[in-house]
Amino acid sequence: MNTFLNTDLWKIGASTITVSSLLAALGFFAGGILVAWLFKRFVDRMRRYSTAEGAPAIYVAGQAGRYLIILFGFLLAGSALGIDLSSLSLFAGALGVGIGLGVQDIFKDFIAGLVLLFDRSMEVGDFIELDTGVAGEIRSVGARATTLITNDNVAVLIPNSMLISNSLTNWTRNRATRRIHVPFIVALGSDKNVVRAAALEAAEAVPFTLPDSDDRRTQVWLVGFGEYALKFELVVWPKREAVKRPGSMMAAYRWAIDDALQRHGLEIPFPQHDVRIRSFFGSEGEEGLRTWRGEHAPRPAERATKGPVGSVNDAAVEISEKQAQQDQIEAEETIREAASIMQKASTVSVDSDEEVDRKTKPRTKR
């Protein structure tokens, strides 16, 4: 048995590889793989029981630990084979040749994966969207590719280097939500106050809408005038989990808006052409109809004039509030600067008085 284990297999430089050294190297390397797998299972369990804020940091530590364990097992295997680790420059040179021959993309993806792990601009659990339109939640960052899970439960593998070199949108950066804009239209001539009330009711009816606060408030904006419609946007802050499902989120708000508009008797228009007679013998509206029927129509002086009905302009209110906050900050800074200048002036004045007293005080003869 000893003779078999000490049988020479081949030589690498000055080192002789025997059966026993080969088995020991395989054992160390397999042990490193096993320990890395167990470490991964341990880290995954910690992530399941950790908070949402701590899970990404645990994932980064787990990935770095796995790489180190595998590297340590590889070094132990090389040492068991009797290879002088100081002579690994030959291996590094061969690796450089391999990279030059076509492995550079894999090496680039590996380095990009390390950058993603430690850069923290994207973390496991973030919802990102690429320029190509692919969007999903980051499930894992591997040595070659990052796995995204779309809302249709489709796993998409993105090379790590693409996430580094291309632009993308991180919708849940820093575990925060975002404000969304839900467009909708109503018929020309609709009462803006009624439209606003209906849209706010729709937002409140959706369960994942965040309540209003000092820095987050649901609003309704009039954003344009069409040929046959008024264009509005419901500006609302949903919960973070809803942001990760943009299709379902927008569908829920549109459904609620349609229900609210129907309850308030508001019409969602469609392209049409109406022929309207603006006046009939100098009379308009109901007066023109009475003139058509031969009824008495009041003279222009008798017509009551209507003033514009006041309404809440959320977009103007938002800008005014932001301006007021900025003005308050600038006023506070001005007050602090004035107080600082006065304090310095008071200090200089006291020092001057002391200097004058010191100079005018008669000296005592000894």
Side-chain angles (χ1 to χ4, degrees):
M1 188 66 179
N2 291 334
T3 304
F4 172 74
L5 294 176
N6 293 325
T7 301
D8 295 341
L9 297 178
W10 61 82
K11 289 187 176 182
I12 299 179
S15 302
T16 301
I17 307 300
T18 62
V19 175
S20 60
S21 62
L22 179 61
L23 292 177
L26 292 176
F28 281 125
F29 189 72
I33 297 296
L34 178 61
V35 173
W37 179 77
L38 293 175
F39 182 72
K40 181 178 182 299
R41 294 285 301 272
F42 173 73
V43 170
D44 290 342
R45 177 169 295 185
M46 287 184 61
R47 285 179 56 203
R48 284 197 297 269
Y49 292 101
S50 66
T51 61
E53 291 76 12
I58 295 175
Y59 180 82
V60 172
Q63 290 293 90
R66 285 181 59 215
Y67 292 151
L68 290 177
I69 291 171
I70 294 175
L71 177 61
F72 186 67
F74 178 78
L75 295 177
L76 287 180
S79 179
L81 289 174
I83 298 176
D84 185 7
L85 298 180
S86 62
S87 64
L88 287 180
S89 57
L90 296 176
F91 175 76
L95 180 62
V97 173
I99 293 174
L101 291 177
V103 195
Q104 65 268 27
D105 289 338
I106 298 177
F107 186 74
K108 181 172 63 175
D109 289 334
F110 178 74
I111 297 300
L114 294 178
V115 172
L116 290 175
L117 286 174
F118 293 100
D119 180 58
R120 307 295 293 275
S121 60
M122 289 177 292
E123 298 176 335
V124 174
D126 285 347
F127 188 89
I128 64 173
E129 182 178 358
L130 306 180
D131 287 343
T132 58
V134 176
E137 181 180 349
I138 299 177
R139 185 61 55 88
S140 64
V141 180
R144 189 190 67 83
T146 296
T147 302
L148 301 183
I149 302 297
T150 68
N151 292 328
D152 296 328
N153 200 28
V154 177
V156 181
L157 299 179
I158 309 295
N160 294 329
S161 58
M162 288 185 60
L163 298 178
I164 293 294
S165 58
N166 297 334
S167 60
L168 54 85
T169 303
N170 189 344
W171 292 116
T172 54
R173 173 75 170 144
N174 297 328
R175 298 294 181 269
T177 184
R178 67 181 181 92
R179 187 170 70 174
I180 66 165
H181 299 248
V182 186
F184 65 97
I185 59 176
V186 296
L188 285 172
S190 299
D191 190 334
K192 296 189 295 294
N193 289 326
V194 178
V195 174
R196 181 176 182 272
L200 294 179
E201 288 180 10
E204 188 177 356
V206 177
F208 48 77
T209 300
L210 290 174
D212 290 352
S213 61
D214 293 337
D215 56 344
R216 289 194 300 261
R217 186 170 68 251
T218 302
Q219 299 175 328
V220 181
W221 293 355
L222 175 61
V223 297
F225 299 93
E227 295 181 358
Y228 53 89
L230 296 176
K231 300 179 180 180
F232 287 89
E233 282 186 356
L234 172 63
V235 184
V236 64
W237 293 85
K239 294 181 180 178
R240 178 172 169 267
E241 289 303 318
V243 175
K244 293 183 178 182
R245 295 162 178 82
S248 302
M249 176 184 62
M250 297 297 288
Y253 280 115
R254 292 189 186 108
W255 189 288
I257 289 174
D258 183 67
D259 288 346
L261 293 180
Q262 291 185 25
R263 285 196 302 269
H264 286 266
L266 295 169
E267 177 186 356
I268 298 179
F270 56 88
Q272 58 184 345
H273 295 282
D274 296 335
V275 178
R276 302 181 62 184
I277 300 176
R278 183 169 181 82
S279 65
F280 184 76
F281 288 99
S283 300
E284 300 180 4
E286 292 296 330
E287 298 172 4
L289 292 177
R290 286 194 293 268
T291 303
W292 174 266
R293 292 192 294 264
E295 300 174 358
H296 170 71
R299 296 181 180 276
E302 301 175 2
R303 297 170 185 165
T305 58
K306 279 188 177 181
V309 179
S311 59
V312 179
N313 192 335
D314 285 328
V317 170
E318 181 184 29
I319 295 176
S320 300
E321 290 178 350
K322 294 295 183 183
Q323 184 63 46
Q325 293 175 2
Q326 184 64 30
D327 293 342
Q328 183 178 359
I329 293 173
E330 293 177 356
E332 292 175 353
E333 291 179 354
T334 302
I335 293 173
R336 284 196 296 268
E337 292 177 359
S340 177
I341 293 173
M342 293 178 63
Q343 183 178 4
K344 290 180 180 178
S346 176
T347 303
V348 172
S349 176
V350 170
D351 293 341
S352 301
D353 293 342
E354 291 178 355
E355 182 67 19
V356 171
D357 293 342
R358 187 179 62 81
K359 290 183 178 180
T360 57
K361 185 177 181 181
R363 298 181 180 178
T364 305
K365 294 183 179 181
R366 294 182 180 179

